[in-house]
Amino acid sequence: GAVVSQHPSWVICKSGTSVKIECRSLDFQATTMFWYRQFPKQSLMLMATSNEGSKATYEQGVEKDKFLINHASLTLSTLTVTSAHPEDSSFYICSAPQTDSNQPQHFGDGTRLSIL
Amino acid sequence: QKEVEQDPGPLSVPEGAIVSLNCTYSNSAFQYFMWYRQYSRKGPELLMYTYSSGNKEDGRFTAQVDKSSKYISLFIRDSQPSDSATYLCALTGGFKTIFGAGTRLFVKA
């Protein structure tokens, strides 16, 4: 089956630093990837849609300058949380559909971000 | 009204029980229906997906879709403690995917 790899799985850093999270599709090409945020015991909240070779599409209320997304190749999308603060602490998950965006998404294992 | 409604539980059952998880939705444009399982601090894992009304079976899992009633279900037979997780329904249509809130399931040994 389709495999999506996310790295790192857990990161702890000081307030004010920037953190980069990578999302890779290992056995298929993904022109579209999605980035979600999940708070404890809550469902997934779509942050943005990452499009290979073009700008990401952000959901309402998500700061594009805060959460920088780059989708430079058909197998890699990155999310950079810039100048992170404790309120940015959360579980971030990426996903990619194996073919088009109407197909089921395959998820990475998530990144637990803790900002001190 | 939310586009998809899912009871968050928690749902606690004894080992071996049949579990029924459900979602209702309001938008008839949804074409694909999925069930994901999510263990704590892990990403969701695709369990089943279907694009038509009716039943789809895979081992102990059966997904059921009733488009006329806008109602989808996941049945787990002979539930095991390892089935303890959060189960999310998801619906896709028009290049948009909507996730349910997730139902937390506990299977007691």
Side-chain angles (χ1 to χ4, degrees):
Chain A
V3 177
V4 173
S5 174
Q6 191 172 339
H7 178 81
S9 58
W10 193 3
V11 59
I12 303 173
C13 60
K14 293 181 180 179
S15 184
T17 58
S18 293
V19 178
K20 180 185 282 188
I21 303 169
E22 293 187 347
C23 181
R24 294 180 185 274
S25 56
L26 296 186
D27 52 355
F28 66 101
Q29 295 182 328
T31 55
T32 302
M33 290 184 175
F34 301 95
W35 287 96
Y36 294 86
R37 187 171 179 175
Q38 187 176 38
F39 292 103
K41 299 182 182 179
Q42 293 189 27
S43 190
L44 305 166
M45 182 185 76
L46 180 65
M47 298 175 64
T49 302
S50 174
N51 304 297
E52 188 269 334
S54 64
K55 291 182 179 180
T57 305
Y58 290 82
E59 295 300 301
Q60 191 172 9
V62 178
E63 299 177 59
K64 59 180 70 176
D65 294 331
K66 174 76 170 177
F67 300 99
L68 299 178
I69 291 173
N70 184 276
H71 195 149
S73 77
L74 287 170
T75 60
L76 174 64
S77 174
T78 60
L79 168 67
T80 301
V81 183
T82 62
S83 186
H85 292 299
E87 59 266 28
D88 298 322
S89 299
S90 190
F91 192 54
Y92 293 87
I93 315 174
C94 69
S95 73
Q98 193 163 2
T99 52
D100 63 70
S101 296
N102 274 331
Q103 294 295 314
Q105 297 174 31
H106 299 274
F107 287 86
D109 262 347
T111 297
R112 188 176 168 201
L113 176 62
S114 297
I115 309 297
L116 305 177
Chain B
Q1 183 185 9
K2 290 184 179 178
E3 288 192 275
V4 59
E5 298 274 2
Q6 183 177 11
D7 188 338
L11 178 62
S12 184
V13 301
E15 183 176 358
I18 296 175
V19 176
S20 173
L21 305 167
N22 312 292
C23 288
T24 59
Y25 62 97
S26 56
N27 190 341
S28 58
F30 290 123
Q31 300 168 314
Y32 290 87
F33 307 90
M34 288 78 73
W35 284 96
Y36 288 87
R37 176 175 64 195
Q38 185 177 22
Y39 292 113
S40 181
R41 297 178 183 177
K42 290 286 188 181
E45 171 194 8
L46 180 64
L47 277 179
M48 306 201 52
Y49 77 94
T50 183
Y51 55 84
S52 60
S53 284
N55 294 350
K56 183 175 182 179
E57 189 173 317
D58 184 0
R60 296 185 294 111
F61 299 91
T62 299
Q64 190 174 80
V65 175
D66 183 345
K67 286 188 174 181
S68 62
S69 300
K70 298 186 181 67
Y71 190 86
I72 64 174
S73 300
L74 177 70
F75 299 96
I76 306 174
R77 291 184 298 280
D78 187 24
S79 57
Q80 303 295 310
S82 58
D83 294 328
S84 298
T86 297
Y87 291 81
L88 300 99
C89 63
L91 299 83
T92 294
F95 301 101
K96 180 174 75 168
T97 298
I98 302 294
F99 289 88
T103 300
R104 295 174 66 204
L105 172 66
F106 296 96
V107 181
K108 299 171 292 184

